[in-house]
Amino acid sequence: MKQLLILSISLVFALPAQAQQIYAEAGTTISSFHYKNSQGEPLDNLLSKPNTYFGMGYRDVLNNRQTLYLSIGATYNGYGAIGSDRILDNYFEYDVTYIGLVAGLDFRLFRLRDFSFYLKGSVSMEFLLRGTQTINNQVFNLVGEDQFNQNVFFGRASVGMQHPISDNTLFFANYTYGKTVLIGQGNATGEEELKLATHQFGIGIIISLPMCNCRY
């Protein structure tokens, strides 16, 4: 699986030679962990922990009006949570990093002078790169643990704006909400399950390649 993912990401970065635009973005992720143990009991007192994300890829225009774009890229996402158990007097912390592939469609809603406002929907497949769980002073490696080591499928929706900063470069900023399909689905762990919900705030640039007949 890791070899397949690495190969897929390599292909993504080989595609810009046929693309009209390339993009790069980075920002902050605020994630919420929703966990149930094998008895179906939720783990309370989990608080969000800010982390970072990065993304790169390419975009192609899909219509003559240049209002609809397809994007394909690779992502690097960090997710985290902290919490405590009042009964057992435990402190715990999760810190996980996933890499993956993402495909999306963004649609320009309207323009206001040089600003363009858009909506975007995307789906991604992500794979655990590294992860730790800290309980009090003990640190546990999460790589190989069933409830964390599955493929993660995200659905995301974004709103944002773009503004040209040169003849061939756009600056953009966006807000993205995302939610996973069940991470632990298919494991022989009773009702144990983990879901993630994320809020992402990011900025980035879009660069038009020489073959792009793009209108800003």
Side-chain angles (χ1 to χ4, degrees):
M1 176 59 71
K2 288 185 178 179
Q3 289 83 355
L4 177 61
L5 188 62
I6 292 171
L7 176 61
S8 299
I9 291 175
S10 298
L11 290 175
V12 166
F13 291 119
L15 284 173
Q18 305 299 322
Q20 295 197 20
Q21 296 177 326
I22 58 174
Y23 72 88
E25 66 175 306
T28 298
T29 297
I30 300 173
S31 52
S32 300
F33 283 45
H34 303 284
Y35 176 78
K36 290 183 180 180
N37 62 23
S38 57
Q39 286 75 45
E41 299 171 342
L43 180 61
D44 296 324
N45 302 321
L46 275 176
L47 302 177
S48 300
K49 177 186 174 183
N51 217 309
T52 57
Y53 80 92
F54 305 95
M56 296 180 65
Y58 82 95
R59 298 169 84 231
D60 255 326
V61 63
L62 296 181
N63 61 355
N64 292 331
R65 297 176 58 193
Q66 298 194 11
T67 57
L68 184 64
Y69 286 82
L70 168 70
S71 61
I72 297 178
T75 61
Y76 176 97
N77 290 297
Y79 309 116
I82 57 176
S84 62
D85 188 323
R86 297 178 182 176
I87 297 176
L88 299 177
D89 194 27
N90 283 337
Y91 163 83
F92 40 86
E93 180 176 353
Y94 295 93
D95 188 5
V96 294
T97 301
Y98 286 83
I99 58 174
L101 300 173
V102 58
L105 288 173
D106 52 285
F107 177 73
R108 189 180 72 224
L109 296 172
F110 62 91
R111 285 178 173 171
L112 184 61
R113 295 185 179 178
D114 289 335
F115 291 91
S116 296
F117 298 85
Y118 64 92
L119 290 176
K120 181 176 182 178
S122 64
V123 293
S124 64
M125 181 184 74
E126 301 179 16
F127 188 83
L128 184 65
L129 180 64
R130 67 171 189 85
T132 57
Q133 178 189 35
T134 302
I135 301 178
N136 296 332
N137 293 322
Q138 292 184 297
V139 180
F140 302 92
N141 185 9
L142 295 177
V143 176
E145 295 296 324
D146 287 339
Q147 66 267 40
F148 279 91
N149 209 36
Q150 301 301 304
N151 294 333
V152 181
F153 294 93
F154 260 98
R156 291 187 169 94
S158 306
V159 293
M161 71 87 181
Q162 301 172 354
H163 187 275
I165 55 177
S166 73
D167 291 340
N168 67 342
T169 305
L170 288 168
F171 165 84
F172 68 88
N174 56 32
Y175 159 74
T176 303
Y177 175 77
K179 195 170 184 180
T180 62
V181 176
L182 191 63
I183 294 179
Q185 194 168 25
N187 297 330
T189 54
E191 296 183 24
E192 186 177 29
E193 65 180 42
L194 175 69
K195 294 182 180 179
L196 283 173
T198 62
H199 303 272
Q200 295 179 317
F201 303 88
I203 59 173
I205 59 171
I206 299 170
I207 300 175
S208 296
L209 300 177
M211 71 283 292
C212 181
N213 182 24
C214 302
R215 299 188 302 271
Y216 295 154

